[in-house]
Amino acid sequence: MRTRRAALLGALATVSMIAVSACGATAEKEDSGSGGSKTATGLRLMVPNTPGSGYDVTARTVAQVMQDSEVASGVQVYNLPGAGGTVGLQRLVNEKGNGKLAMQMGLGVVGAAYTSKSKATLTDTTPLAKLIEEAGAIVVSKDSPYKTIDDLVTAWKKNPKKVAVGGGSSPGGPDHLLPMQLAKAVGIEPKDVNYVSYDGGGELLPAILGNKIAFGASGFGEFLDQIEAGQVRVLAVTSEEPIAAVEDAPTLKSSGIDLVFTNWRGFVAPPGITDAQKTSWIDALTTMHESKEWKAELTKRGWTDAFVTGDEFGTYLKDQDRSVAGLLAELGLA
């Protein structure tokens, strides 16, 4: 199942990249207005990490729902991974005025902009919408010796540097911040954590399945297929309350660990787009958000609805930027 799914995601990414290469990165700028059509056309969604990652799954779900609900037609999704999302961020900023392009992003890109010392920043972009929030999960392979979160924590505390934890984001991203905060919560010095960075869930998953790391820390939605197939085991989720999609997994709090951690995802557009172009994007995303198809996906994937748009999302981004900068400074990474 995992092989077929990975092949499908790779094929989708390849087809999307071919379409982008054929058109050119800025080919549709001349048609970047709202166009007066109820069904948007020519929209492109950039994913700044690998196929199979949380960003990738979210963006492809959005594209499919937009088409199924007739909000848009022919939505292209393509991957531009690298440097925790900042390669994509730089491309987005370079696409100034391109009203047909948006980038899937979230907490990971906020942190990576600092740790990668990116010249492009999120303050250079046009905020469109925050879509969802998602709890993290502590995950091991099906044949891991750790059967419970207590088993893992006991071994981790004995020798933190020998218990490798992997995450699908670079230092400063959510998959890095989660195990650092978990370490602090259980009495381990964050500087002693052996964190292994992977560029998205598509690279993290094989490391978990192959026992190249002791455990993974990432959004639980990235592992749903493997959870259902019995290939991985969720030791705990980081939400306040249990999650229906992984109903057998306890929360950290119910396991006696005082930590709640939530990731989020949204979209930003290039700088310099017109008010009409910004409104067109927000209208399309709002209509999609209100559709029955999107509500079904929220339930199916266990995502928490966290929809805000425009200036409200812009304010949220600034608050997140300040918060992440403070955490990274504490860890000596910013």
Side-chain angles (χ1 to χ4, degrees), residues 37-63:
S37 173
K38 291 183 68 175
T39 301
T41 59
L43 301 182
R44 298 182 8 250
L45 303 178
M46 180 202 300
V47 177
N49 53 22
T50 55
S53 65
Y55 288 167
D56 186 70
V57 171
T58 306
R60 293 184 189 280
T61 301
V62 167

CSV table of all heavy atoms in Angstrom, one decimal, residues 37-63:
chain,number,residue,atom,x,y,z
A,37,SER,N,-14.9,35.3,-13.6
A,37,SER,CA,-15.5,34.0,-13.7
A,37,SER,C,-15.7,33.4,-12.3
A,37,SER,O,-14.9,33.6,-11.4
A,37,SER,CB,-14.5,33.1,-14.5
A,37,SER,OG,-15.0,31.8,-14.5
A,38,LYS,N,-16.8,32.7,-12.2
A,38,LYS,CA,-17.1,32.1,-10.9
A,38,LYS,C,-16.2,30.9,-10.6
A,38,LYS,O,-15.9,30.7,-9.5
A,38,LYS,CB,-18.6,31.6,-10.9
A,38,LYS,CG,-19.6,32.8,-10.8
A,38,LYS,CD,-21.0,32.2,-10.7
A,38,LYS,CE,-21.3,31.6,-9.4
A,38,LYS,NZ,-22.7,31.2,-9.2
A,39,THR,N,-15.8,30.3,-11.6
A,39,THR,CA,-14.8,29.1,-11.5
A,39,THR,C,-13.5,29.6,-11.9
A,39,THR,O,-13.2,30.0,-13.0
A,39,THR,CB,-15.2,28.0,-12.4
A,39,THR,OG1,-16.6,27.5,-12.1
A,39,THR,CG2,-14.3,26.8,-12.2
A,40,ALA,N,-12.6,29.6,-10.9
A,40,ALA,CA,-11.2,30.1,-11.1
A,40,ALA,C,-10.4,29.2,-12.0
A,40,ALA,O,-10.7,27.9,-11.9
A,40,ALA,CB,-10.5,30.3,-9.8
A,41,THR,N,-9.6,29.7,-12.8
A,41,THR,CA,-8.8,28.8,-13.7
A,41,THR,C,-7.3,29.2,-13.6
A,41,THR,O,-7.0,30.4,-13.2
A,41,THR,CB,-9.2,29.0,-15.2
A,41,THR,OG1,-9.1,30.4,-15.6
A,41,THR,CG2,-10.7,28.5,-15.4
A,42,GLY,N,-6.4,28.3,-14.0
A,42,GLY,CA,-5.0,28.6,-14.0
A,42,GLY,C,-4.3,28.7,-12.7
A,42,GLY,O,-3.2,29.2,-12.6
A,43,LEU,N,-4.9,28.3,-11.6
A,43,LEU,CA,-4.3,28.4,-10.3
A,43,LEU,C,-3.2,27.4,-10.1
A,43,LEU,O,-3.4,26.2,-10.5
A,43,LEU,CB,-5.4,28.3,-9.2
A,43,LEU,CG,-6.5,29.3,-9.2
A,43,LEU,CD1,-7.5,29.1,-8.0
A,43,LEU,CD2,-6.0,30.7,-9.2
A,44,ARG,N,-2.2,27.8,-9.4
A,44,ARG,CA,-1.1,26.9,-9.1
A,44,ARG,C,-0.7,26.9,-7.6
A,44,ARG,O,-0.6,28.0,-7.1
A,44,ARG,CB,0.1,27.2,-10.0
A,44,ARG,CG,-0.2,27.0,-11.4
A,44,ARG,CD,0.8,27.2,-12.5
A,44,ARG,NE,2.2,27.4,-12.1
A,44,ARG,CZ,2.8,28.6,-12.3
A,44,ARG,NH1,2.1,29.7,-12.6
A,44,ARG,NH2,4.1,28.7,-12.0
A,45,LEU,N,-0.5,25.8,-7.0
A,45,LEU,CA,-0.2,25.7,-5.6
A,45,LEU,C,1.2,25.1,-5.5
A,45,LEU,O,1.5,23.9,-6.0
A,45,LEU,CB,-1.2,24.8,-4.9
A,45,LEU,CG,-2.6,25.2,-5.0
A,45,LEU,CD1,-3.5,24.2,-4.2
A,45,LEU,CD2,-2.8,26.6,-4.4
A,46,MET,N,2.1,25.8,-4.9
A,46,MET,CA,3.5,25.3,-4.7
A,46,MET,C,3.6,24.7,-3.3
A,46,MET,O,3.1,25.2,-2.3
A,46,MET,CB,4.5,26.5,-4.7
A,46,MET,CG,5.9,26.1,-4.5
A,46,MET,SD,7.0,27.4,-4.0
A,46,MET,CE,6.8,28.6,-5.3
A,47,VAL,N,4.2,23.5,-3.3
A,47,VAL,CA,4.5,22.8,-2.0
A,47,VAL,C,6.0,22.9,-1.8
A,47,VAL,O,6.8,22.3,-2.6
A,47,VAL,CB,4.0,21.3,-2.1
A,47,VAL,CG1,4.4,20.6,-0.8
A,47,VAL,CG2,2.6,21.2,-2.4
A,48,PRO,N,6.4,23.5,-0.7
A,48,PRO,CA,7.9,23.7,-0.5
A,48,PRO,C,8.6,22.6,0.1
A,48,PRO,O,9.7,22.8,0.7
A,48,PRO,CB,7.9,25.0,0.3
A,48,PRO,CG,6.7,24.9,1.2
A,48,PRO,CD,5.6,24.2,0.3
A,49,ASN,N,8.1,21.4,0.0
A,49,ASN,CA,8.9,20.2,0.4
A,49,ASN,C,8.4,19.0,-0.4
A,49,ASN,O,7.7,19.1,-1.4
A,49,ASN,CB,8.9,19.9,1.9
A,49,ASN,CG,7.5,19.9,2.5
A,49,ASN,OD1,6.5,19.7,1.9
A,49,ASN,ND2,7.4,20.1,3.8
A,50,THR,N,8.7,17.8,0.0
A,50,THR,CA,8.6,16.6,-0.8
A,50,THR,C,7.2,16.0,-0.9
A,50,THR,O,6.4,16.3,0.0
A,50,THR,CB,9.5,15.5,-0.3
A,50,THR,OG1,9.2,15.2,1.1
A,50,THR,CG2,11.0,15.9,-0.4
A,51,PRO,N,6.9,15.2,-2.0
A,51,PRO,CA,5.7,14.5,-2.1
A,51,PRO,C,5.5,13.6,-0.9
A,51,PRO,O,6.4,13.0,-0.4
A,51,PRO,CB,5.8,13.7,-3.4
A,51,PRO,CG,6.8,14.5,-4.2
A,51,PRO,CD,7.8,15.1,-3.2
A,52,GLY,N,4.3,13.6,-0.3
A,52,GLY,CA,4.0,12.7,0.8
A,52,GLY,C,4.0,13.5,2.1
A,52,GLY,O,3.6,13.0,3.2
A,53,SER,N,4.6,14.7,2.1
A,53,SER,CA,4.6,15.5,3.3
A,53,SER,C,3.3,16.0,3.7
A,53,SER,O,2.3,16.0,2.9
A,53,SER,CB,5.6,16.7,3.1
A,53,SER,OG,5.1,17.6,2.2
A,54,GLY,N,3.2,16.6,4.9
A,54,GLY,CA,1.9,17.2,5.4
A,54,GLY,C,1.5,18.3,4.5
A,54,GLY,O,0.3,18.5,4.1
A,55,TYR,N,2.4,19.2,4.1
A,55,TYR,CA,2.1,20.3,3.2
A,55,TYR,C,1.6,19.7,1.8
A,55,TYR,O,0.6,20.2,1.3
A,55,TYR,CB,3.3,21.1,2.9
A,55,TYR,CG,3.8,22.0,4.0
A,55,TYR,CD1,5.1,22.6,3.9
A,55,TYR,CD2,3.0,22.3,5.1
A,55,TYR,CE1,5.6,23.4,5.0
A,55,TYR,CE2,3.5,23.1,6.1
A,55,TYR,CZ,4.8,23.6,6.1
A,55,TYR,OH,5.2,24.4,7.1
A,56,ASP,N,2.2,18.7,1.3
A,56,ASP,CA,1.8,18.1,0.1
A,56,ASP,C,0.4,17.5,0.1
A,56,ASP,O,-0.4,17.8,-0.8
A,56,ASP,CB,2.9,17.0,-0.3
A,56,ASP,CG,2.6,16.4,-1.7
A,56,ASP,OD1,2.9,17.1,-2.7
A,56,ASP,OD2,2.2,15.3,-1.8
A,57,VAL,N,0.2,16.7,1.2
A,57,VAL,CA,-1.2,16.1,1.3
A,57,VAL,C,-2.2,17.2,1.4
A,57,VAL,O,-3.3,17.2,0.8
A,57,VAL,CB,-1.2,15.2,2.6
A,57,VAL,CG1,-2.7,14.8,2.9
A,57,VAL,CG2,-0.3,14.0,2.4
A,58,THR,N,-2.0,18.3,2.2
A,58,THR,CA,-2.9,19.4,2.3
A,58,THR,C,-3.2,20.1,1.0
A,58,THR,O,-4.3,20.3,0.6
A,58,THR,CB,-2.4,20.4,3.4
A,58,THR,OG1,-2.1,19.7,4.6
A,58,THR,CG2,-3.5,21.4,3.7
A,59,ALA,N,-2.1,20.4,0.3
A,59,ALA,CA,-2.3,21.2,-0.9
A,59,ALA,C,-3.0,20.3,-2.0
A,59,ALA,O,-3.9,20.9,-2.7
A,59,ALA,CB,-0.9,21.6,-1.5
A,60,ARG,N,-2.7,19.1,-2.1
A,60,ARG,CA,-3.4,18.2,-3.1
A,60,ARG,C,-4.8,18.0,-2.7
A,60,ARG,O,-5.7,17.9,-3.6
A,60,ARG,CB,-2.6,16.9,-3.3
A,60,ARG,CG,-1.3,17.1,-3.9
A,60,ARG,CD,-0.5,15.8,-4.2
A,60,ARG,NE,0.9,16.2,-4.6
A,60,ARG,CZ,1.2,16.6,-5.8
A,60,ARG,NH1,0.3,16.7,-6.7
A,60,ARG,NH2,2.5,16.9,-6.1
A,61,THR,N,-5.1,17.9,-1.4
A,61,THR,CA,-6.5,17.8,-1.0
A,61,THR,C,-7.3,19.1,-1.3
A,61,THR,O,-8.4,19.1,-1.8
A,61,THR,CB,-6.6,17.6,0.6
A,61,THR,OG1,-5.9,16.4,0.9
A,61,THR,CG2,-8.0,17.5,1.0
A,62,VAL,N,-6.7,20.3,-1.1
A,62,VAL,CA,-7.3,21.5,-1.4
A,62,VAL,C,-7.6,21.6,-2.9
A,62,VAL,O,-8.7,22.0,-3.3
A,62,VAL,CB,-6.4,22.7,-1.0
A,62,VAL,CG1,-6.9,24.0,-1.6
A,62,VAL,CG2,-6.4,22.9,0.5
A,63,ALA,N,-6.6,21.2,-3.7
A,63,ALA,CA,-6.8,21.3,-5.2
A,63,ALA,C,-7.9,20.4,-5.6
A,63,ALA,O,-8.7,20.8,-6.5
A,63,ALA,CB,-5.5,20.9,-5.9
